[in-house]
Amino acid sequence: MNQRKKSLQLRHVDAGSCNACEQELTALLSKDLDIQHYGIDVVASPRHADALVVTGPVTDTMQPALKKVWDAVPKPRQLIAVGDCAAGCGVFQNAYASHGGVESALKKPDLTIRGCPPDPAKILDMLREMMQN
Amino acid sequence: MNEATQAEEIRDNWIQDNISRKNAGDVLLALTGYRDNQIKTHWLSADGKMKAVTTTCVDAQFASLSPSMPEVAWDEREIHDLFGYQPVGHPDLRPLVRTPRWPDTFFPLQKRSDDFAQWNDVEPDNPAKVVEGEGITIMKVGPTHAGIIESGHFVFSIIGENILHLDAHLFQNHRGVEKALESLPIQEAKPLISRICGADTVSHQYNFLSAMENLAGRRVPESVEWQRIILLESERILSHLNDLAQIPAGVGFTVAHQRGLAMKESWQKGLAAIFGHRFLFDAMYQEKMMASKKEQLQQLLVSLETMWMKWRKLVSRQQGFHDRMHGVGVVKREDAEQLGAVGVALRATGVSVDMRTIMPLYRHNRIHIPQVTGGDVEARFQVRLQEVEHSFALIRNALEHLQGKNQEASWRIPDDLTGEVVSYSESPHGLNVHVVQMKNGVIERYHVRSGAYRNWPVLALAVAGNAVADFPLINKSFELCYSCADR
């Protein structure tokens, strides 16, 4: 059986977000949505992660750090872009120090959760859907 | 008069004029650089009058104010990074915003166009300031973190368990917001302004609108003003609830943390139902919907207050929790004043400064400033407690003034505005300032000086002498945003 159907360990990197996406990701950990209930959790080390969650349009200063964290996530691994900025369609798309989203800064994400910011319930739904596939 | 003495006079006047404004008790709104070699400070006196002091760079140099006014040390480093103007006499001109990855000739705010081919393929780390000596270790944290946090890079100099010095390398999230706003048609600037920071968005929207209205000479209808107070105070409650919920997490008081988050969630859900957005993005641009939602907001307030009373009781009776906050992360009043601290961090040291007492918007309200001293985590916690309750009262009062009928359609910003204007407000994180220059409806310069920017150096000072393990607690008691500091 695919172990990922039972659990999904996420590591988060903020790459230039306005902090609204962070607040919504934090809301997932509150008792209201309680992602741990579904086998999803946020872990401290990329080594322990099944997937990397990226927020923000990827600033130039964060790009090398983001690459390092991604390289440290063991395979098989998934890349998740949360929010319009990371999805490449946010308001900071054309700012000079913005790489314009996860796809142009790193690689095409396996899952893109749009919204500015996306509703936490939507984030949870899409994460759960990804676990099933 | 020869050229040398003239240059000297410009220099002396610049420093003297600014020092005398500070000595007169004026509030420094912003230190702003411009493309045409101009540097300006804007000062606000207690009666609401604004005064600008200007200097001109000669050979791309200007006299640094930092030796006599340490609060602008970062502003001057930023001008140096983004314009290439050199503040002569600055005690620490390390790069602040730019990194070794930036091409040497790239000064983004200097020119109209971006004139560089690509970023240098090197690491972005800037030189750190550390303490050297026997038994001192250096601990680097970030820029990525173990939880869900914004990105920042911290270099601690540690002896034993205690922090000797913290060198905070922010601006990891620097996108180039001010430049992105330039040349933007005003209607397209609105969503971007709203997203400068997820925690202070309403305050940014207010500053933007108030700047545009000032240029356009708009008289804002009173009912719209009351709506704005409701939005600003709703944001203050939201942000303070978040921060109040995070502080207990810093000491492992999980029940208070989780219940605090639950309060925040219910407030956010309610705000989304009434104003259409969980963080109030773009909410102030809409002017007509409030009156009909009056009752809904009244009910939301009642239900929040019920949860709030229980939560307050829970946290106030846990003496151990208060013992953990007491005497930790102390900011002395004189340091706060010298470093230009703003907002909760300043008021927690016993200084009664709240921009709402000066903002014309609040002229019909009596602003209560919490009388708290100590400057520690506990003091910052107490200030927020009192401010949340004061915001409840301000919203109640504003609701009473809202008329029963709907407003007409929202105001459309004229497309031909020209001029310079400075706007300010008291955001949840303190004094938030926008300096805006418009020409024929196009943004020429847009400078944002948020509350968090001023308080970061204060936080660095507050952690010195404390245990490394208390950094998360002290950090949470400031809960500074990176986004509106980094821009």
Side-chain angles (χ1 to χ4, degrees), chain A residues 14 18 23-24 59 96 116, chain B residues 151 172-174 198 264 278:
Chain A
D14 159 29
C18 75
Q23 292 192 53
E24 296 300 44
T59 59
Y96 62 79
C116 184
Chain B
S151 292
Q172 309 287 328
N173 283 352
H174 178 70
K264 180 194 171 195
R278 282 167 59 87

Side-chain angles (χ1 to χ4, degrees), chain A residues 37-76:
Chain A
H37 207 81
Y38 303 98
I40 310 172
D41 206 355
V42 178
V43 292
S45 168
R47 295 279 189 223
H48 299 158
D50 305 306
L52 178 65
V53 172
V54 185
T55 53
V58 187
T59 59
D60 181 67
T61 312
M62 280 307 293
Q63 202 230 2
L66 174 65
K67 174 87 173 51
K68 279 182 206 164
V69 174
W70 175 244
D71 288 344
V73 180
K75 293 169 190 165

Side-chain angles (χ1 to χ4, degrees), chain A residues 11 14 16 18-19 22-24 31-32 43-44 59-62 68 91-92 95-97 116-117 119-120, chain B residues 101 108 119 123-124 144-146 150-151 172-175 179 192 195 198-199 258 264 269 277-279 481 483:
Chain A
R11 159 80 190 200
D14 159 29
C18 75
N19 80 39
E22 278 65 44
Q23 292 192 53
E24 296 300 44
K31 292 303 141 195
D32 202 45
V43 292
T59 59
D60 181 67
T61 312
M62 280 307 293
K68 279 182 206 164
V91 291
F92 303 115
Y96 62 79
C116 184
D119 193 276
Chain B
R101 292 173 57 80
W119 305 101
E123 290 295 316
T144 64
H145 297 285
E150 289 181 87
S151 292
Q172 309 287 328
N173 283 352
H174 178 70
R175 289 145 290 184
K179 177 76 175 182
L192 209 152
R195 286 156 181 79
Q258 282 295 349
K264 180 194 171 195
K269 277 202 178 112
H277 198 279
R278 282 167 59 87
F279 293 88
C481 24
S483 180

Side-chain angles (χ1 to χ4, degrees), chain B residues 267-279:
Chain B
W267 183 241
Q268 248 183 323
K269 277 202 178 112
L271 292 181
I274 297 168
F275 300 105
H277 198 279
R278 282 167 59 87
F279 293 88

Side-chain angles (χ1 to χ4, degrees), chain B residues 280-298:
Chain B
L280 301 174
F281 283 4
D282 305 319
M284 206 179 268
Y285 304 144
Q286 265 288 349
E287 291 184 351
K288 66 172 180 186
M289 82 289 201
M290 261 309 301
S292 57
K293 307 268 182 167
K294 190 171 160 176
E295 211 169 293
Q296 223 178 326
L297 192 54
Q298 261 155 351

